[in-house]
Amino acid sequence: AITAVVVIVTFFYTQIAFSFESTIILGDIVASGNVEIKTTSGNWQSITNRSYPIVSGEHLKSGDGRMSITMKDGTRLEAGKGSEIIINGERGKYSVNLSKGPMGFSVQKGVYLSVSTPNAIVHTNESAGHVQKVVMSKKDNINGIIFVDSKGTKVIAVSGSFIVKDANASNVQMLSAGKAVHVTTGDSGIKITPVVLPAEGEDSSGIDWAEWLPYIAIGAGVVVIAAIVVVAVAGQDDGGGAAASPSSP
């Protein structure tokens, strides 16, 4: 009987510990315009013009709004109009599912960020150790833009370098600063095509990168990433105080 009580008590406290671990706050989101978060009951709740904590498993979408997410280790995600994302992970190691829309990211070297789209995976190199907050200046950050629409996944490396591969991991490429690719799905499978960024006002690729160029040229600041997302949204062809996260138990 004593053994049974010990087992029950151990299970009870294990469940409490697991519940606490699963709701550890990763950072905060500030939303403007029409932005919603999926609650534990499966409903969508508006978080417009408010700041909320972010935990692993958050499911977010924007209508005509924008999402600015800042993690505790300094990692930044900026999602624009018509975006839908799911965030999982822990400090220094994040996994994001971007099913549609534009998203800019800024991470320190050593932070692992993986972004999956319907036909591509973009990720930084995995860190061998723990990441300390603000260990490098913003000029050392790895910054990029990912844009998902009905034509595929467009990726630009603004600064630093990171890996782009198709969803089957059969084609893997390292993308360095100033380079871009377009990942498309066709009858012959998934292709990764390098895109030459045209001069301002030109469009040699059929992709409207031109409006992004003035911002890319400025550099790698987080404010620049946010501005790029806004401009990217405008160029699409298709298409109060802090509170507890509605998705927390």
Side-chain angles (χ1 to χ4, degrees):
I2 295 177
T3 302
V5 171
V6 171
V7 170
I8 291 172
V9 171
T10 301
F11 176 79
F12 177 72
Y13 281 104
T14 299
Q15 293 303 303
I16 291 176
F18 177 78
S19 176
F20 176 78
E21 180 68 23
S22 65
T23 56
I24 290 177
I25 295 172
L26 299 178
D28 296 284
I29 177 173
V30 177
S32 60
N34 180 18
V35 175
E36 296 178 307
I37 188 170
K38 199 167 190 177
T39 66
T40 52
S41 62
N43 299 318
W44 289 97
Q45 178 177 325
S46 174
I47 56 172
T48 301
N49 299 324
R50 300 195 69 180
S51 174
Y52 284 95
I54 287 290
V55 299
S56 184
E58 297 289 28
H59 192 170
L60 305 149
K61 67 178 181 179
S62 60
D64 60 358
R66 299 197 305 274
M67 299 177 267
S68 179
I69 299 166
T70 304
M71 302 301 186
K72 289 187 174 182
D73 60 13
T75 296
R76 288 286 302 269
L77 304 174
E78 300 280 349
K81 177 180 177 181
S83 295
E84 184 166 350
I85 62 175
I86 300 174
I87 301 172
N88 286 290
E90 58 190 24
R91 181 169 176 169
K93 188 174 183 178
Y94 308 100
S95 174
V96 178
N97 182 287
L98 174 65
S99 56
K100 60 180 180 179
M103 187 186 80
F105 63 85
S106 179
V107 301
Q108 296 175 16
K109 292 179 180 178
V111 170
Y112 180 74
L113 172 68
S114 174
V115 181
S116 299
T117 76
N119 66 351
I121 300 171
V122 177
H123 68 83
T124 61
N125 289 321
E126 192 159 6
S127 172
H130 295 289
V131 177
Q132 301 294 323
K133 185 175 181 180
V134 195
V135 296
M136 297 182 181
S137 65
K138 289 182 179 180
K139 69 178 182 179
D140 294 315
N141 283 6
I142 300 170
N143 295 340
I145 310 159
I146 305 170
F147 182 19
V148 179
D149 61 12
S150 61
K151 298 176 183 178
T153 303
K154 307 177 183 78
V155 186
I156 283 185
V158 179
S159 66
S161 60
F162 48 83
I163 294 169
V164 179
K165 55 188 176 184
D166 62 51
N168 301 321
S170 58
N171 187 345
V172 180
Q173 297 187 19
M174 178 67 74
L175 203 63
S176 57
K179 304 295 184 181
V181 294
H182 191 196
V183 186
T184 56
T185 304
D187 295 336
S188 58
I190 304 174
K191 293 174 58 179
I192 301 180
T193 306
V195 175
V196 178
L197 295 175
E200 187 173 355
E202 297 178 0
D203 185 8
S204 59
S205 63
I207 301 171
D208 189 12
W209 299 109
E211 288 187 292
W212 299 25
L213 293 180
Y215 299 93
I216 295 172
I218 291 173
V222 171
V223 174
V224 175
I225 293 267
I228 291 173
V229 170
V230 175
V231 174
V233 169
Q236 287 191 58
D237 295 325
D238 306 311
S245 173
S247 69
S248 297

